[in-house]
Structures are given as C-alpha cells and as structure tokens.
Amino acid sequence: HVIQENGAAREGRRMKHGRHFRKLGKDASHRWAMIRTMVTQLIEHERIQTTVAKAKELRRVADRVVTFAKEGSLRARRKAAAVVRTDAAVNKLFTELAERYKERPGGFTRVLQIGQRKSDSAAMAYIEYVDRDGELRPARPATGFGLSWAAKEYVNSQLASKKRHGDVRAVLSPAADAAAKAAAEPPKEEK
C-alpha cells in the first residue's frame, strides 16, 4: 500500500480498524478448516459444545450461511457450499433452516456459556440455532418497537394504562401508528 505524504510516495501500512477477529492460536488455513467443519456440524446437529472464543467466531460464519440460504439463489447456494463441507448439510440449510428463518431478520444462533473445562479451565459454551425443538432457552422475539428495554418497559406501562381508558394509539410512535392504521384498513381492490 502506497501512502502520499507531502507529494512523495512512501510504503506504509493501513490501520486495522474493523479488522478484528480471533486467531484461536492457529494459522489461517487451519482456522478456516476448523470453522468450516464446525459450521457443518452445527447445521447437522443444531447444537454443539465448544470454547467460548470458537463459538463467537463460529457465530459470524453460521449466521452468514443462513442468510445465504434465505436468499435461495444459485449464487447463494454456491457461496454456502464453499463453506459447508457436505451436500446433505447444504440441502438441510437451504430447505429446513431457510424455511425456519424466512421471517427472522438475523440472530439465528445463540451462544450460552456453560462453565469451564476441567482439563485446562477453558471457558466452554453451547452454540445452537434458535427457534427449534429442544433449545436450551426460548428465543427472544425477532421483532418489536425497535426500542431499548427501558423504552419498551415505558411503552408497555403506557399501553397498559391507556388500555384501561380505551386510547391505545396515543402511546405508539407515528410510524407504529401508521402501521396499525394500515393493518386495520382492508386492502383496496384496483379495477
């Protein structure tokens, strides 16, 4: 990379802003091979146990391949097949998982910390897909008002008090009010 300084070119390095990832004590090829294998196993079993650091790195790739599956195009299938190792896992990804998460905008995996491994005291975790049978903890809803928990608490308390008086729409934001009006109106037929 060449940097211009006072009209003279000099060799330099770019800053590492936004390029952070965990190296996991492995070189690049070993790390990528391990992540690919773990993504394939996660798709097949839908929950695996690993270290917290590996689970957090795996979450990035696992969510990305589910997004490819939701897209459903040939290009997306090829990009997912470049990560996932088996054809059976690719088929499960593009049929079962794509159907399960078609309405969910993101956050397809969950990392639950479970304590330390006895041998070397490494922090361990389960990583699993959400919204499935046998999950360890029920998933949080994927939609909402788009507010922080404190704002949601306030809105819910206001909704509860306004319901007693019959005026619920006064509490909602203008965007939510417009969406509520649009949902209440029957669709118009064009001739």
Side-chain angles (χ1 to χ4, degrees):
H1 181 69
V2 178
I3 300 174
Q4 292 286 340
E5 184 178 294
N6 297 333
R10 68 175 178 87
E11 279 297 313
R13 292 175 45 178
R14 292 183 182 177
M15 293 185 192
K16 280 184 61 175
H17 296 217
R19 296 187 190 189
H20 174 72
F21 59 90
R22 294 167 184 86
K23 293 188 179 180
L24 304 174
K26 295 165 179 31
D27 61 17
S29 61
H30 187 184
R31 185 171 52 246
W32 181 236
M34 180 190 66
I35 293 290
R36 286 183 63 199
T37 301
M38 290 175 75
V39 166
T40 305
Q41 292 298 310
L42 181 62
I43 292 169
E44 289 175 4
H45 302 289
E46 299 195 13
R47 179 193 309 143
I48 59 174
Q49 181 178 344
T50 184
T51 64
V52 173
K54 288 177 187 174
K56 288 181 178 181
E57 278 303 302
L58 176 61
R59 177 175 53 190
R60 298 169 61 201
V61 180
D63 284 353
R64 189 178 309 137
V65 295
V66 172
T67 304
F68 289 147
K70 285 175 57 177
E71 184 181 328
S73 65
L74 179 60
R75 174 188 169 277
R77 183 175 281 269
R78 286 177 176 161
K79 295 212 29 118
V83 175
V84 179
R85 291 193 181 272
T86 64
D87 291 335
V90 173
N91 289 335
K92 179 177 181 180
L93 181 66
F94 276 78
T95 54
E96 185 180 328
L97 296 180
E99 180 65 27
R100 183 188 306 166
Y101 299 121
K102 66 182 178 186
E103 298 296 323
R104 191 172 185 90
F108 311 114
T109 55
R110 165 191 306 123
V111 175
L112 293 170
Q113 297 190 26
I114 56 172
Q116 293 180 328
R117 187 163 50 197
K118 287 189 178 191
S119 62
D120 61 354
S121 295
M124 299 298 288
Y126 282 119
I127 180 168
E128 67 177 356
Y129 283 115
V130 298
D131 295 334
R132 66 179 187 88
D133 294 332
E135 61 185 339
L136 296 174
R137 182 173 61 80
R140 293 185 182 123
T143 59
F145 288 116
L147 306 171
S148 69
W149 66 269
K152 286 180 186 177
E153 210 171 83
Y154 173 76
V155 168
N156 288 336
S157 68
Q158 291 296 313
L159 284 173
S161 68
K162 293 292 183 179
K163 278 183 183 177
R164 285 183 243 137
H165 303 295
D167 186 23
V168 175
R169 286 195 182 161
V171 178
L172 299 175
S173 67
D177 192 16
K181 285 180 184 177
E185 294 177 358
K188 296 178 183 176
E189 293 184 18
E190 295 183 25
K191 292 184 181 181

